[in-house]
Amino acid sequence: MSRTEALPAAMAAGTASAPSDYGRGSRRSWIAVFGGLIGAFMAILDIQITNASMKEIQGSLGATLEEGSWISTAYLVAEMIAIPLSGWLSTGLSVRRYLLWTTAAFIFASILCSISWNLEAMIAFRALQGFFGGALIPLAFRLILEFLPENKRAVGMALFGVTATFAPSIGPTLGGWLTEHFSWHYLFYINVPPGLLVMAMLAYGLEKRPVVWDKLKNADLAGIVTMALGMGCLEVVLEEGNRKDWFGSDLIRNLAIIAAVNLVLFVWIQLKRKDPLVNLRLLGKRDFVLSTIAYFLLGMALFGAIYLIPLYLSQVHDYTPLEIGEVIMWMGFPQLLVLPLVPRLMQRFDGRYLAAFGFFMFALSYYMNSQMTADYAGPQMIASQVVRALGQPFILVPIGMLATAHLKPHENPSASTVLNVMRNLGGAFGIALVATLTDNLARSHLAHVKESLPAVSTQAQDYLNQSASMLQQGGSDPYTASMQAKALLGQTMSQQAYIQAYNDVFLIMGALLLIAVVAVLLIRKPQGPVAHDAAIE
């Protein structure tokens, strides 16, 4: 037997004879899973936590609004590159060693972000933070699959649901509160205490394993390079495309070409290699590919809502970041009441129907937001936020179970990678889609309002006369009052155009979620815990 063959065999034998306190479902395993989940929560929270405080960060670093957008983009690009690498590196270095190293590096990068002296330094440190934080997300998912018994996996998926959906919901709220009461630096300091706790939990809960040098030496370099270029450029295109007029920008056009070429090469390389960086052959399995579609649409809906609602409240109603956070949090906290119930419901009902119900509730919440008027502000949005929050737990828990029900143990790292990449990619696509649709539809509605103005000229003239009269009573001279009244009419027309645009976008996103309802219903029913356990063994 060769050295390459002997080492995995020795590791398998070591696993079989491992001490019972490291066994699946043991106390150490649960501690490791909780440590991984806290780490994933931190990484996902940091995607959104800077958004509410971007003005303060930009002012401190002397950056413009457009330059400041790279603070978030750098994190997301690096995170997207790190996720596909996590399976290979964690297998070669061992899950314990890799998680400890990346968590330590994430803490260090967070401290560097807090002491950034200019925009360039902040972007570089945010990229480091995103790269090391990106590894924490898929590995938390993998720990659930590999360290919990089948009958407890739904509980693990429910907890993972907290990280995937609750963290983005409270990110703007927490970020706004920290900045208002302390300073923006605390957005990064806050990672240090839980980061150290994560390291302690992982060090205790995960068994030490040797480095598999053959796995590291047999690196898929071509796959790594094409993946990094393809995913990195695609993320920049999606994040910056709307701000730079999409393909009207040379930068976006060139990056889109680089992304397309490298992603095609990456897929071709992965399908040709016996030991690929990511096993894309999983996408040839019906149940798994349907699950990835559902994950993609979940990412679109989740991050689309987190983008749309703050934009609407700030643009139409001039809400402050903290006021926006107080509305967004209603998409997070109600989940905590429902999540403990989902594992129990999984024992009594078909997971496909629970997931379909969750997506339907999510679609319903979008529909509720598609009927807005000028008086529709934060208090009126709470009902739809609660409906959205109640639906999300019914999605994450069953989908994670359904996606992996027919997979073999050695396929778990790639499955975790693909699912988390698809959710993040869906989020990037969702934000790009809603941002572009909102701007284009608002222009279209405004043009229509201006065209119809002559048909309602009497009402418009009455509005101008009343406004001018009120302004004159306030001290303006007749000419100034007339100009101010016309400006107010223009603002009212623009506001109405944007409200109609937001209504259209919410309706479109709700319709897209109905595709996810169909996708999850087409997944085959799992054969049951016993059959699945047998397949694992």
Side-chain angles (χ1 to χ4, degrees):
M1 183 182 290
S2 67
R3 179 173 176 266
T4 306
E5 296 169 333
L7 188 50
M11 289 177 64
T15 303
S17 60
S20 59
D21 57 350
Y22 283 108
R24 182 179 290 184
S26 66
R27 183 183 64 179
R28 285 181 183 265
S29 294
W30 275 105
I31 290 174
V33 167
F34 274 107
L37 289 169
I38 296 171
F41 187 90
M42 291 162 51
I44 297 174
L45 183 73
D46 272 45
I47 298 172
Q48 301 289 336
I49 200 169
T50 59
N51 290 0
S53 310
M54 199 57 73
K55 288 183 180 179
E56 289 78 3
I57 297 173
Q58 290 165 358
S60 178
L61 300 177
T64 64
L65 181 63
E66 184 172 350
E67 291 171 340
S69 69
W70 286 95
I71 295 172
S72 296
T73 300
Y75 186 97
L76 290 166
V77 169
E79 181 188 64
M80 191 65 82
I81 293 171
I83 291 175
L85 294 175
S86 61
W88 165 60
L89 288 172
S90 62
T91 303
L93 293 171
S94 83
V95 174
R96 182 182 190 272
R97 185 177 289 106
Y98 184 53
L99 274 173
L100 287 174
W101 288 2
T102 53
T103 306
F106 178 78
I107 296 170
F108 183 61
S110 298
I111 295 171
L112 290 176
C113 288
S114 68
I115 61 173
S116 298
W117 51 91
N118 58 29
L119 178 66
E120 290 75 15
M122 173 62 85
I123 291 172
F125 297 149
R126 277 286 281 175
L128 284 175
Q129 191 190 31
F131 183 81
F132 295 117
L136 300 173
I137 302 168
L139 286 176
F141 190 93
R142 180 178 170 183
L143 290 177
I144 293 168
L145 296 179
E146 296 184 358
F147 286 83
L148 297 184
E150 176 69 20
N151 62 346
K152 297 296 183 184
R153 201 165 293 169
V155 176
M157 289 297 175
L159 294 170
F160 185 78
V162 175
T163 71
T165 60
F166 183 62
S169 303
I170 67 163
T173 310
L174 181 60
W177 185 84
L178 285 170
T179 302
E180 186 165 305
H181 290 85
F182 301 97
S183 75
W184 64 263
H185 303 83
Y186 283 83
L187 304 179
F188 305 106
Y189 293 147
I190 196 175
N191 289 326
V192 177
L196 295 174
L197 176 63
V198 167
M199 291 185 69
M201 296 173 77
L202 294 172
Y204 176 79
L206 295 175
E207 186 180 5
K208 292 182 180 179
R209 296 285 179 84
V211 175
V212 184
W213 292 108
D214 288 336
K215 179 70 176 178
L216 295 176
K217 291 176 183 177
N218 190 31
D220 180 7
L221 294 178
I224 292 171
V225 171
T226 53
M227 178 278 300
L229 285 172
M231 297 300 288
C233 292
L234 177 61
E235 187 71 34
V236 174
V237 168
L238 294 173
E239 287 293 317
E240 299 293 326
N242 189 57
R243 280 188 283 266
K244 298 184 181 297
D245 193 29
W246 290 105
F247 297 111
S249 162
D250 290 339
L251 173 66
I252 297 300
R253 187 167 56 250
N254 293 335
L255 288 178
I257 293 170
I258 295 170
V261 171
N262 280 277
L263 287 175
V264 170
L265 287 173
F266 174 69
V267 172
W268 181 77
I269 291 167
Q270 299 311 290
L271 295 177
K272 296 290 286 185
R273 278 182 64 95
K274 288 184 178 180
D275 187 20
L277 180 68
V278 180
N279 182 12
L280 296 182
R281 295 181 183 88
L282 293 176
L283 294 173
K285 299 186 177 185
R286 168 187 161 179
D287 304 303
F288 187 77
V289 75
L290 288 170
S291 300
T292 60
I293 292 171
Y295 253 80
F296 182 85
L297 291 169
L298 173 63
M300 282 186 65
L302 177 62
F303 287 96
I306 291 171
Y307 176 85
L308 268 177
I309 293 169
L311 192 64
Y312 169 80
L313 292 174
S314 62
Q315 189 173 37
V316 177
H317 296 288
D318 294 322
Y319 270 42
T320 66
L322 194 56
E323 289 172 333
I324 291 171
E326 291 171 353
V327 177
I328 289 288
M329 72 179 183
W330 284 99
M331 188 166 39
F333 285 108
Q335 294 181 49
L336 302 181
L337 302 175
V338 180
L339 275 168
L341 303 176
V342 178
R344 293 176 179 268
L345 292 172
M346 287 281 293
Q347 296 173 1
R348 300 187 60 183
F349 299 99
D350 190 326
R352 298 171 301 169
Y353 299 144
L354 292 177
F357 171 76
F359 275 116
F360 177 78
M361 292 288 283
F362 215 148
L364 177 62
S365 72
Y366 266 104
Y367 176 76
M368 292 170 69
N369 288 140
S370 68
Q371 312 295 316
M372 298 187 297
T373 64
D375 298 325
Y376 199 101
Q380 290 73 37
M381 278 194 161
I382 291 176
S384 63
Q385 295 288 79
V386 171
V387 170
R388 193 170 292 130
L390 295 177
Q392 288 174 8
F394 288 96
I395 299 172
L396 249 295
V397 182
I399 284 294
M401 302 284 288
L402 293 168
T404 57
H406 299 282
L407 300 184
K408 297 175 181 177
H410 69 272
E411 295 172 329
N412 287 338
S414 288
S416 175
T417 295
V418 172
L419 290 172
N420 282 283
V421 164
M422 291 303 288
R423 191 188 68 247
N424 281 20
L425 207 54
F429 267 100
I431 292 172
L433 177 66
V434 299
T436 303
L437 283 175
T438 301
D439 288 346
N440 291 342
L441 289 171
R443 283 195 289 268
S444 175
H445 284 301
L446 183 59
H448 178 72
V449 170
K450 289 180 177 178
E451 287 174 5
S452 63
L453 196 60
V456 291
S457 56
T458 304
Q459 293 94 320
Q461 192 59 49
D462 289 343
Y463 175 88
L464 288 173
N465 292 337
Q466 290 175 7
S467 299
S469 176
M470 291 176 62
L471 290 166
Q472 287 182 53
Q473 292 175 11
S476 297
D477 61 79
Y479 177 78
T480 303
S482 176
M483 292 298 101
Q484 290 173 334
K486 289 179 180 178
L488 284 173
L489 178 61
Q491 289 176 6
T492 302
M493 291 166 59
S494 179
Q495 183 191 57
Q496 289 299 320
Y498 267 102
I499 291 172
Q500 292 178 54
Y502 283 115
N503 285 340
D504 292 344
V505 174
F506 276 118
L507 190 62
I508 291 168
M509 293 297 288
L512 288 174
L513 279 169
L514 296 179
I515 298 174
V517 173
V518 176
V520 295
L521 290 175
L522 290 175
I523 296 173
R524 289 179 299 167
K525 184 177 181 180
Q527 298 303 307
V530 176
H532 188 73
D533 280 338
I536 289 177
E537 297 301 328

